[in-house]
mmCIF file of all heavy atoms in Angstrom:
data_model
loop_
_atom_site.group_PDB
_atom_site.id
_atom_site.type_symbol
_atom_site.label_atom_id
_atom_site.label_comp_id
_atom_site.label_asym_id
_atom_site.label_seq_id
_atom_site.Cartn_x
_atom_site.Cartn_y
_atom_site.Cartn_z
ATOM 1 N N THR A 92 -31.195 11.802 50.811
ATOM 2 C CA THR A 92 -31.943 12.594 49.835
ATOM 3 C C THR A 92 -33.432 12.339 49.998
ATOM 4 O O THR A 92 -33.886 11.205 49.986
ATOM 5 C CB THR A 92 -31.539 12.214 48.403
ATOM 6 O OG1 THR A 92 -30.180 12.527 48.252
ATOM 7 C CG2 THR A 92 -32.346 12.996 47.389
ATOM 8 N N VAL A 93 -34.157 13.403 50.191
ATOM 9 C CA VAL A 93 -35.601 13.277 50.328
ATOM 10 C C VAL A 93 -36.220 14.047 49.184
ATOM 11 O O VAL A 93 -35.903 15.194 48.957
ATOM 12 C CB VAL A 93 -36.074 13.863 51.679
ATOM 13 C CG1 VAL A 93 -37.574 13.746 51.792
ATOM 14 C CG2 VAL A 93 -35.403 13.127 52.819
ATOM 15 N N ASP A 94 -37.043 13.403 48.406
ATOM 16 C CA ASP A 94 -37.555 14.057 47.221
ATOM 17 C C ASP A 94 -39.066 13.964 47.156
ATOM 18 O O ASP A 94 -39.645 13.902 46.100
ATOM 19 C CB ASP A 94 -36.920 13.405 45.994
ATOM 20 C CG ASP A 94 -37.161 14.224 44.747
ATOM 21 O OD1 ASP A 94 -37.419 15.439 44.859
ATOM 22 O OD2 ASP A 94 -37.138 13.645 43.683
ATOM 23 N N SER A 95 -39.685 13.901 48.309
ATOM 24 C CA SER A 95 -41.130 13.829 48.279
ATOM 25 C C SER A 95 -41.725 14.161 49.632
ATOM 26 O O SER A 95 -41.143 13.850 50.669
ATOM 27 C CB SER A 95 -41.562 12.422 47.862
ATOM 28 O OG SER A 95 -42.934 12.418 47.599
ATOM 29 N N ALA A 96 -42.890 14.802 49.579
ATOM 30 C CA ALA A 96 -43.613 15.085 50.814
ATOM 31 C C ALA A 96 -44.167 13.779 51.370
ATOM 32 O O ALA A 96 -44.338 12.807 50.640
ATOM 33 C CB ALA A 96 -44.750 16.048 50.506
ATOM 34 N N THR A 104 -53.331 16.858 49.566
ATOM 35 C CA THR A 104 -53.253 17.660 48.329
ATOM 36 C C THR A 104 -54.173 17.092 47.253
ATOM 37 O O THR A 104 -54.925 17.824 46.602
ATOM 38 C CB THR A 104 -51.800 17.678 47.791
ATOM 39 O OG1 THR A 104 -50.957 18.160 48.824
ATOM 40 C CG2 THR A 104 -51.671 18.551 46.568
ATOM 41 N N THR A 125 -76.194 25.604 27.144
ATOM 42 C CA THR A 125 -76.246 25.076 25.790
ATOM 43 C C THR A 125 -77.028 26.078 24.950
ATOM 44 O O THR A 125 -78.099 26.519 25.366
ATOM 45 C CB THR A 125 -76.996 23.732 25.776
ATOM 46 O OG1 THR A 125 -76.326 22.846 26.661
ATOM 47 C CG2 THR A 125 -77.001 23.128 24.388
ATOM 48 N N ARG A 152 -76.944 21.194 14.421
ATOM 49 C CA ARG A 152 -75.743 21.118 15.254
ATOM 50 C C ARG A 152 -75.132 22.511 15.448
ATOM 51 O O ARG A 152 -74.753 22.893 16.558
ATOM 52 C CB ARG A 152 -74.737 20.187 14.562
ATOM 53 C CG ARG A 152 -73.489 19.933 15.331
ATOM 54 C CD ARG A 152 -72.522 19.104 14.505
ATOM 55 N NE ARG A 152 -71.939 19.871 13.402
ATOM 56 C CZ ARG A 152 -71.394 19.336 12.314
ATOM 57 N NH1 ARG A 152 -71.401 18.036 12.144
ATOM 58 N NH2 ARG A 152 -70.853 20.101 11.392
ATOM 59 N N GLN A 155 -77.146 24.605 17.806
ATOM 60 C CA GLN A 155 -76.971 24.207 19.211
ATOM 61 C C GLN A 155 -75.644 24.678 19.790
ATOM 62 O O GLN A 155 -75.523 24.881 20.993
ATOM 63 C CB GLN A 155 -77.068 22.686 19.333
ATOM 64 C CG GLN A 155 -78.486 22.166 19.180
ATOM 65 C CD GLN A 155 -78.545 20.647 19.110
ATOM 66 O OE1 GLN A 155 -77.526 19.968 19.224
ATOM 67 N NE2 GLN A 155 -79.735 20.120 18.909
ATOM 68 N N VAL A 164 -66.778 32.826 19.948
ATOM 69 C CA VAL A 164 -66.146 33.461 18.781
ATOM 70 C C VAL A 164 -66.525 34.937 18.698
ATOM 71 O O VAL A 164 -65.689 35.794 18.372
ATOM 72 C CB VAL A 164 -66.565 32.743 17.474
ATOM 73 C CG1 VAL A 164 -65.970 33.439 16.264
ATOM 74 C CG2 VAL A 164 -66.140 31.298 17.516
ATOM 75 N N GLU A 171 -57.511 42.461 21.856
ATOM 76 C CA GLU A 171 -56.109 42.021 21.708
ATOM 77 C C GLU A 171 -55.848 40.684 22.380
ATOM 78 O O GLU A 171 -55.094 39.854 21.873
ATOM 79 C CB GLU A 171 -55.164 43.087 22.296
ATOM 80 C CG GLU A 171 -55.162 44.405 21.549
ATOM 81 C CD GLU A 171 -54.549 44.300 20.159
ATOM 82 O OE1 GLU A 171 -53.909 43.285 19.853
ATOM 83 O OE2 GLU A 171 -54.733 45.249 19.358
ATOM 84 N N SER A 175 -54.661 37.423 20.576
ATOM 85 C CA SER A 175 -53.422 36.767 20.979
ATOM 86 C C SER A 175 -53.631 35.259 21.060
ATOM 87 O O SER A 175 -52.791 34.468 20.622
ATOM 88 C CB SER A 175 -52.981 37.309 22.341
ATOM 89 O OG SER A 175 -51.943 36.539 22.851
ATOM 90 N N LEU A 178 -53.906 33.920 17.551
ATOM 91 C CA LEU A 178 -52.591 33.838 16.902
ATOM 92 C C LEU A 178 -51.815 32.625 17.414
ATOM 93 O O LEU A 178 -51.063 31.995 16.679
ATOM 94 C CB LEU A 178 -51.799 35.125 17.151
ATOM 95 C CG LEU A 178 -52.311 36.378 16.432
ATOM 96 C CD1 LEU A 178 -51.518 37.609 16.846
ATOM 97 C CD2 LEU A 178 -52.247 36.201 14.916
ATOM 98 N N THR A 180 -52.973 29.845 18.095
ATOM 99 C CA THR A 180 -53.451 28.597 17.482
ATOM 100 C C THR A 180 -52.959 28.427 16.039
ATOM 101 O O THR A 180 -53.078 27.348 15.483
ATOM 102 C CB THR A 180 -54.994 28.527 17.475
ATOM 103 O OG1 THR A 180 -55.498 29.563 16.627
ATOM 104 C CG2 THR A 180 -55.566 28.674 18.867
ATOM 105 N N ASN A 183 -47.842 25.019 14.971
ATOM 106 C CA ASN A 183 -47.590 23.626 14.594
ATOM 107 C C ASN A 183 -48.463 22.708 15.455
ATOM 108 O O ASN A 183 -49.338 23.165 16.178
ATOM 109 C CB ASN A 183 -46.097 23.309 14.759
ATOM 110 C CG ASN A 183 -45.633 23.481 16.205
ATOM 111 O OD1 ASN A 183 -46.410 23.859 17.076
ATOM 112 N ND2 ASN A 183 -44.377 23.225 16.463
ATOM 113 N N GLY A 184 -48.181 21.426 15.418
ATOM 114 C CA GLY A 184 -49.036 20.472 16.126
ATOM 115 C C GLY A 184 -48.578 20.141 17.525
ATOM 116 O O GLY A 184 -48.957 19.101 18.067
ATOM 117 N N PRO A 188 -44.515 22.816 25.137
ATOM 118 C CA PRO A 188 -43.751 24.052 24.878
ATOM 119 C C PRO A 188 -43.146 24.130 23.491
ATOM 120 O O PRO A 188 -42.586 25.155 23.133
ATOM 121 C CB PRO A 188 -42.636 24.002 25.924
ATOM 122 C CG PRO A 188 -42.997 22.946 26.854
ATOM 123 C CD PRO A 188 -43.899 21.996 26.164
ATOM 124 N N ARG A 191 -45.053 26.547 18.208
ATOM 125 C CA ARG A 191 -44.504 27.772 17.597
ATOM 126 C C ARG A 191 -45.299 28.090 16.330
ATOM 127 O O ARG A 191 -45.883 27.205 15.717
ATOM 128 C CB ARG A 191 -43.008 27.634 17.295
ATOM 129 C CG ARG A 191 -42.679 26.581 16.315
ATOM 130 C CD ARG A 191 -41.354 26.772 15.566
ATOM 131 N NE ARG A 191 -40.197 27.179 16.309
ATOM 132 C CZ ARG A 191 -38.959 27.096 15.811
ATOM 133 N NH1 ARG A 191 -38.747 26.604 14.598
ATOM 134 N NH2 ARG A 191 -37.924 27.516 16.488
ATOM 135 N N VAL A 193 -46.591 28.950 12.591
ATOM 136 C CA VAL A 193 -46.262 28.476 11.244
ATOM 137 C C VAL A 193 -46.926 29.430 10.244
ATOM 138 O O VAL A 193 -47.568 30.409 10.640
ATOM 139 C CB VAL A 193 -46.790 27.041 11.011
ATOM 140 C CG1 VAL A 193 -46.103 26.049 11.917
ATOM 141 C CG2 VAL A 193 -48.302 26.974 11.181
ATOM 142 N N ALA A 195 -49.921 29.536 8.373
ATOM 143 C CA ALA A 195 -51.153 28.748 8.477
ATOM 144 C C ALA A 195 -51.861 28.629 7.143
ATOM 145 O O ALA A 195 -51.627 29.415 6.219
ATOM 146 C CB ALA A 195 -52.068 29.386 9.505
ATOM 147 N N GLN A 198 -57.574 28.248 4.811
ATOM 148 C CA GLN A 198 -58.921 27.952 5.290
ATOM 149 C C GLN A 198 -59.009 27.868 6.817
ATOM 150 O O GLN A 198 -60.089 27.690 7.359
ATOM 151 C CB GLN A 198 -59.441 26.667 4.662
ATOM 152 C CG GLN A 198 -58.572 25.452 4.881
ATOM 153 C CD GLN A 198 -59.127 24.243 4.139
ATOM 154 O OE1 GLN A 198 -60.313 24.103 3.950
ATOM 155 N NE2 GLN A 198 -58.229 23.362 3.719
ATOM 156 N N ASN A 201 -61.343 30.503 7.888
ATOM 157 C CA ASN A 201 -62.617 30.646 7.168
ATOM 158 C C ASN A 201 -63.815 30.536 8.098
ATOM 159 O O ASN A 201 -64.781 31.294 7.982
ATOM 160 C CB ASN A 201 -62.734 29.574 6.070
ATOM 161 C CG ASN A 201 -61.927 29.953 4.848
ATOM 162 O OD1 ASN A 201 -61.311 31.010 4.836
ATOM 163 N ND2 ASN A 201 -61.910 29.088 3.859
ATOM 164 N N GLY A 202 -63.764 29.537 8.993
ATOM 165 C CA GLY A 202 -64.876 29.323 9.909
ATOM 166 C C GLY A 202 -65.133 30.551 10.760
ATOM 167 O O GLY A 202 -66.276 31.022 10.877
ATOM 168 N N MET A 203 -64.080 31.090 11.315
ATOM 169 C CA MET A 203 -64.237 32.276 12.175
ATOM 170 C C MET A 203 -64.767 33.468 11.389
ATOM 171 O O MET A 203 -65.639 34.204 11.849
ATOM 172 C CB MET A 203 -62.900 32.659 12.795
ATOM 173 C CG MET A 203 -62.516 31.790 13.963
ATOM 174 S SD MET A 203 -61.243 32.569 14.931
ATOM 175 C CE MET A 203 -62.119 33.939 15.632
ATOM 176 N N ASP A 224 -53.977 41.094 7.164
ATOM 177 C CA ASP A 224 -52.589 41.384 7.537
ATOM 178 C C ASP A 224 -51.766 40.131 7.825
ATOM 179 O O ASP A 224 -50.550 40.208 8.013
ATOM 180 C CB ASP A 224 -52.563 42.290 8.782
ATOM 181 C CG ASP A 224 -53.026 43.712 8.447
ATOM 182 O OD1 ASP A 224 -53.012 44.054 7.251
ATOM 183 O OD2 ASP A 224 -53.413 44.446 9.371
ATOM 184 N N LYS A 226 -50.083 36.421 7.010
ATOM 185 C CA LYS A 226 -49.550 35.727 5.834
ATOM 186 C C LYS A 226 -50.074 34.286 5.869
ATOM 187 O O LYS A 226 -49.751 33.533 6.793
ATOM 188 C CB LYS A 226 -48.022 35.724 5.874
ATOM 189 C CG LYS A 226 -47.405 35.052 4.662
ATOM 190 C CD LYS A 226 -45.916 35.292 4.561
ATOM 191 C CE LYS A 226 -45.146 34.541 5.626
ATOM 192 N NZ LYS A 226 -43.691 34.688 5.494
ATOM 193 N N LYS A 232 -55.040 20.420 1.797
ATOM 194 C CA LYS A 232 -55.800 20.114 0.577
ATOM 195 C C LYS A 232 -57.281 20.328 0.822
ATOM 196 O O LYS A 232 -57.770 20.068 1.899
ATOM 197 C CB LYS A 232 -55.546 18.679 0.164
ATOM 198 C CG LYS A 232 -54.222 18.516 -0.561
ATOM 199 C CD LYS A 232 -54.044 17.088 -1.049
ATOM 200 C CE LYS A 232 -52.715 16.947 -1.796
ATOM 201 N NZ LYS A 232 -52.373 15.574 -2.070
ATOM 202 N N THR B 79 -35.291 7.661 49.865
ATOM 203 C CA THR B 79 -35.930 8.423 48.781
ATOM 204 C C THR B 79 -37.222 7.769 48.321
ATOM 205 O O THR B 79 -37.398 6.570 48.450
ATOM 206 C CB THR B 79 -34.961 8.537 47.592
ATOM 207 O OG1 THR B 79 -33.935 9.400 47.975
ATOM 208 C CG2 THR B 79 -35.638 9.108 46.363
ATOM 209 N N TYR B 115 -47.446 14.332 11.476
ATOM 210 C CA TYR B 115 -46.923 13.861 12.763
ATOM 211 C C TYR B 115 -45.906 12.726 12.601
ATOM 212 O O TYR B 115 -44.975 12.615 13.394
ATOM 213 C CB TYR B 115 -48.069 13.384 13.657
ATOM 214 C CG TYR B 115 -48.743 14.508 14.429
ATOM 215 C CD1 TYR B 115 -50.112 14.717 14.339
ATOM 216 C CD2 TYR B 115 -48.012 15.362 15.255
ATOM 217 C CE1 TYR B 115 -50.739 15.748 15.043
ATOM 218 C CE2 TYR B 115 -48.621 16.386 15.961
ATOM 219 C CZ TYR B 115 -49.988 16.575 15.854
ATOM 220 O OH TYR B 115 -50.580 17.594 16.550
ATOM 221 N N GLN B 212 -43.686 19.864 46.682
ATOM 222 C CA GLN B 212 -43.866 18.637 47.465
ATOM 223 C C GLN B 212 -43.017 17.483 46.931
ATOM 224 O O GLN B 212 -42.970 16.417 47.525
ATOM 225 C CB GLN B 212 -45.343 18.218 47.459
ATOM 226 C CG GLN B 212 -46.238 19.188 48.201
ATOM 227 C CD GLN B 212 -47.682 18.715 48.246
ATOM 228 O OE1 GLN B 212 -47.989 17.591 47.883
ATOM 229 N NE2 GLN B 212 -48.558 19.583 48.690
ATOM 230 N N ALA B 214 -41.208 14.908 43.677
ATOM 231 C CA ALA B 214 -41.491 14.174 42.432
ATOM 232 C C ALA B 214 -42.719 13.277 42.520
ATOM 233 O O ALA B 214 -43.419 13.080 41.528
ATOM 234 C CB ALA B 214 -40.269 13.339 42.044
ATOM 235 N N LYS B 215 -42.991 12.712 43.711
ATOM 236 C CA LYS B 215 -44.131 11.789 43.802
ATOM 237 C C LYS B 215 -45.459 12.519 43.592
ATOM 238 O O LYS B 215 -46.364 11.992 42.931
ATOM 239 C CB LYS B 215 -44.139 11.069 45.158
ATOM 240 C CG LYS B 215 -43.139 9.928 45.200
ATOM 241 C CD LYS B 215 -43.342 9.070 46.408
ATOM 242 C CE LYS B 215 -44.587 8.222 46.290
ATOM 243 N NZ LYS B 215 -44.348 6.815 46.559
ATOM 244 N N SER B 257 -55.407 10.042 -1.775
ATOM 245 C CA SER B 257 -54.898 11.285 -2.390
ATOM 246 C C SER B 257 -54.784 12.416 -1.363
ATOM 247 O O SER B 257 -54.224 13.474 -1.668
ATOM 248 C CB SER B 257 -55.822 11.714 -3.532
ATOM 249 O OG SER B 257 -57.080 12.093 -3.020
ATOM 250 N N ASN B 274 -41.408 22.672 11.406
ATOM 251 C CA ASN B 274 -41.799 23.151 12.744
ATOM 252 C C ASN B 274 -42.514 22.072 13.543
ATOM 253 O O ASN B 274 -42.515 22.105 14.778
ATOM 254 C CB ASN B 274 -42.686 24.392 12.627
ATOM 255 C CG ASN B 274 -41.871 25.664 12.539
ATOM 256 O OD1 ASN B 274 -40.733 25.715 13.015
ATOM 257 N ND2 ASN B 274 -42.433 26.703 11.950
ATOM 258 N N ASN B 275 -43.105 21.121 12.840
ATOM 259 C CA ASN B 275 -43.783 20.043 13.552
ATOM 260 C C ASN B 275 -42.809 19.097 14.262
ATOM 261 O O ASN B 275 -43.222 18.312 15.099
ATOM 262 C CB ASN B 275 -44.692 19.258 12.603
ATOM 263 C CG ASN B 275 -46.153 19.440 12.970
ATOM 264 O OD1 ASN B 275 -46.507 20.408 13.637
ATOM 265 N ND2 ASN B 275 -46.985 18.512 12.567
ATOM 266 N N SER B 327 -63.216 21.579 7.811
ATOM 267 C CA SER B 327 -62.193 22.547 8.216
ATOM 268 C C SER B 327 -62.720 23.973 8.113
ATOM 269 O O SER B 327 -62.318 24.849 8.883
ATOM 270 C CB SER B 327 -60.927 22.383 7.375
ATOM 271 O OG SER B 327 -61.265 22.453 6.009
ATOM 272 N N ASP B 328 -63.648 24.202 7.198
ATOM 273 C CA ASP B 328 -64.234 25.539 7.047
ATOM 274 C C ASP B 328 -65.067 25.953 8.245
ATOM 275 O O ASP B 328 -65.297 27.135 8.476
ATOM 276 C CB ASP B 328 -65.146 25.569 5.810
ATOM 277 C CG ASP B 328 -64.358 25.992 4.581
ATOM 278 O OD1 ASP B 328 -63.222 26.442 4.750
ATOM 279 O OD2 ASP B 328 -64.886 25.847 3.475
ATOM 280 N N GLU B 329 -65.560 24.956 8.993
ATOM 281 C CA GLU B 329 -66.459 25.268 10.097
ATOM 282 C C GLU B 329 -65.702 25.438 11.407
ATOM 283 O O GLU B 329 -66.238 25.954 12.394
ATOM 284 C CB GLU B 329 -67.492 24.129 10.214
ATOM 285 C CG GLU B 329 -68.635 24.401 11.179
ATOM 286 C CD GLU B 329 -69.492 23.147 11.405
ATOM 287 O OE1 GLU B 329 -69.629 22.339 10.475
ATOM 288 O OE2 GLU B 329 -70.007 22.986 12.525
ATOM 289 N N SER B 331 -63.559 26.756 14.339
ATOM 290 C CA SER B 331 -63.162 28.070 14.826
ATOM 291 C C SER B 331 -62.020 27.875 15.795
ATOM 292 O O SER B 331 -62.183 27.239 16.840
ATOM 293 C CB SER B 331 -64.346 28.716 15.538
ATOM 294 O OG SER B 331 -63.866 29.552 16.553
ATOM 295 N N THR B 333 -60.385 29.953 17.646
ATOM 296 C CA THR B 333 -60.430 30.669 18.923
ATOM 297 C C THR B 333 -61.074 29.797 19.993
ATOM 298 O O THR B 333 -60.583 29.679 21.105
ATOM 299 C CB THR B 333 -61.243 31.968 18.789
ATOM 300 O OG1 THR B 333 -60.527 32.847 17.948
ATOM 301 C CG2 THR B 333 -61.431 32.633 20.125
ATOM 302 N N GLN B 350 -74.682 17.478 24.959
ATOM 303 C CA GLN B 350 -73.904 18.702 25.181
ATOM 304 C C GLN B 350 -73.670 19.002 26.655
ATOM 305 O O GLN B 350 -72.787 19.790 26.984
ATOM 306 C CB GLN B 350 -74.606 19.898 24.534
ATOM 307 C CG GLN B 350 -74.093 20.218 23.142
ATOM 308 C CD GLN B 350 -74.790 21.422 22.553
ATOM 309 O OE1 GLN B 350 -75.993 21.392 22.311
ATOM 310 N NE2 GLN B 350 -74.053 22.483 22.321
ATOM 311 N N HIS B 399 -38.223 18.934 51.395
ATOM 312 C CA HIS B 399 -38.413 17.762 50.548
ATOM 313 C C HIS B 399 -37.330 17.651 49.479
ATOM 314 O O HIS B 399 -37.423 16.812 48.579
ATOM 315 C CB HIS B 399 -39.790 17.821 49.859
ATOM 316 C CG HIS B 399 -40.919 17.993 50.821
ATOM 317 N ND1 HIS B 399 -41.093 17.181 51.914
ATOM 318 C CD2 HIS B 399 -41.931 18.910 50.873
ATOM 319 C CE1 HIS B 399 -42.162 17.581 52.598
ATOM 320 N NE2 HIS B 399 -42.672 18.635 51.987
ATOM 321 N N SER B 427 -49.674 41.341 24.533
ATOM 322 C CA SER B 427 -50.475 40.177 24.149
ATOM 323 C C SER B 427 -50.482 39.974 22.638
ATOM 324 O O SER B 427 -50.397 38.843 22.158
ATOM 325 C CB SER B 427 -51.895 40.267 24.702
ATOM 326 O OG SER B 427 -52.453 41.513 24.464
ATOM 327 N N SER B 428 -50.535 41.071 21.894
ATOM 328 C CA SER B 428 -50.598 40.900 20.438
ATOM 329 C C SER B 428 -49.265 40.431 19.865
ATOM 330 O O SER B 428 -49.231 39.847 18.778
ATOM 331 C CB SER B 428 -51.041 42.198 19.764
ATOM 332 O OG SER B 428 -50.132 43.217 20.064
ATOM 333 N N THR B 438 -38.489 28.482 21.522
ATOM 334 C CA THR B 438 -38.267 27.179 20.890
ATOM 335 C C THR B 438 -36.894 27.148 20.194
ATOM 336 O O THR B 438 -36.249 26.096 20.141
ATOM 337 C CB THR B 438 -39.379 26.828 19.879
ATOM 338 O OG1 THR B 438 -39.673 27.973 19.075
ATOM 339 C CG2 THR B 438 -40.657 26.388 20.584
ATOM 340 N N GLN B 439 -36.455 28.307 19.702
ATOM 341 C CA GLN B 439 -35.092 28.366 19.148
ATOM 342 C C GLN B 439 -34.077 28.037 20.247
ATOM 343 O O GLN B 439 -33.124 27.291 20.037
ATOM 344 C CB GLN B 439 -34.781 29.770 18.593
ATOM 345 C CG GLN B 439 -35.595 30.202 17.400
ATOM 346 C CD GLN B 439 -35.238 29.459 16.122
ATOM 347 O OE1 GLN B 439 -35.614 28.305 15.962
ATOM 348 N NE2 GLN B 439 -34.546 30.089 15.215
ATOM 349 N N ALA B 485 -34.895 22.741 12.130
ATOM 350 C CA ALA B 485 -35.936 23.470 12.873
ATOM 351 C C ALA B 485 -35.422 24.826 13.338
ATOM 352 O O ALA B 485 -36.157 25.825 13.347
ATOM 353 C CB ALA B 485 -36.405 22.637 14.062
ATOM 354 N N PRO B 492 -40.361 34.054 8.603
ATOM 355 C CA PRO B 492 -41.514 34.723 9.229
ATOM 356 C C PRO B 492 -42.792 33.903 9.092
ATOM 357 O O PRO B 492 -43.066 33.325 8.044
ATOM 358 C CB PRO B 492 -41.616 36.044 8.445
ATOM 359 C CG PRO B 492 -40.268 36.271 7.881
ATOM 360 C CD PRO B 492 -39.711 34.912 7.605
ATOM 361 N N SER B 494 -47.148 33.316 9.870
ATOM 362 C CA SER B 494 -48.393 34.027 9.534
ATOM 363 C C SER B 494 -48.532 35.322 10.305
ATOM 364 O O SER B 494 -48.935 36.360 9.789
ATOM 365 C CB SER B 494 -49.596 33.144 9.876
ATOM 366 O OG SER B 494 -49.751 32.142 8.940
ATOM 367 N N GLN B 495 -48.216 35.231 11.594
ATOM 368 C CA GLN B 495 -48.459 36.350 12.503
ATOM 369 C C GLN B 495 -47.669 37.598 12.126
ATOM 370 O O GLN B 495 -48.076 38.713 12.452
ATOM 371 C CB GLN B 495 -48.073 35.935 13.938
ATOM 372 C CG GLN B 495 -48.984 34.893 14.559
ATOM 373 C CD GLN B 495 -48.641 33.463 14.155
ATOM 374 O OE1 GLN B 495 -47.959 33.230 13.167
ATOM 375 N NE2 GLN B 495 -49.137 32.503 14.906
ATOM 376 N N GLY B 497 -47.142 38.600 9.165
ATOM 377 C CA GLY B 497 -47.748 39.219 7.990
ATOM 378 C C GLY B 497 -46.718 39.584 6.946
ATOM 379 O O GLY B 497 -45.808 38.832 6.645
ATOM 380 N N PRO B 536 -27.228 17.251 45.750
ATOM 381 C CA PRO B 536 -28.299 16.582 46.487
ATOM 382 C C PRO B 536 -28.595 15.189 45.952
ATOM 383 O O PRO B 536 -29.050 14.324 46.668
ATOM 384 C CB PRO B 536 -29.507 17.498 46.273
ATOM 385 C CG PRO B 536 -29.195 18.283 45.067
ATOM 386 C CD PRO B 536 -27.711 18.416 45.020
ATOM 387 N N GLY B 539 -26.930 12.608 47.800
ATOM 388 C CA GLY B 539 -27.386 12.341 49.145
ATOM 389 C C GLY B 539 -26.911 13.288 50.210
ATOM 390 O O GLY B 539 -27.264 13.131 51.375
#
Side-chain angles (χ1 to χ4, degrees):
Chain A
T92 297
V93 179
D94 193 22
S95 191
T104 304
T125 302
R152 184 185 71 201
Q155 287 172 3
V164 177
E171 294 292 347
S175 170
L178 290 175
T180 65
N183 61 359
R191 63 156 44 165
V193 295
Q198 56 184 329
N201 281 359
M203 282 197 68
D224 289 342
K226 182 168 71 176
K232 281 184 179 169
Chain B
T79 290
Y115 276 125
Q212 293 183 10
K215 281 191 73 129
S257 67
N274 273 335
N275 246 21
S327 54
D328 269 349
E329 189 189 327
S331 149
T333 292
Q350 265 181 295
H399 306 308
S427 48
S428 60
T438 44
Q439 294 289 75
S494 284
Q495 291 83 341

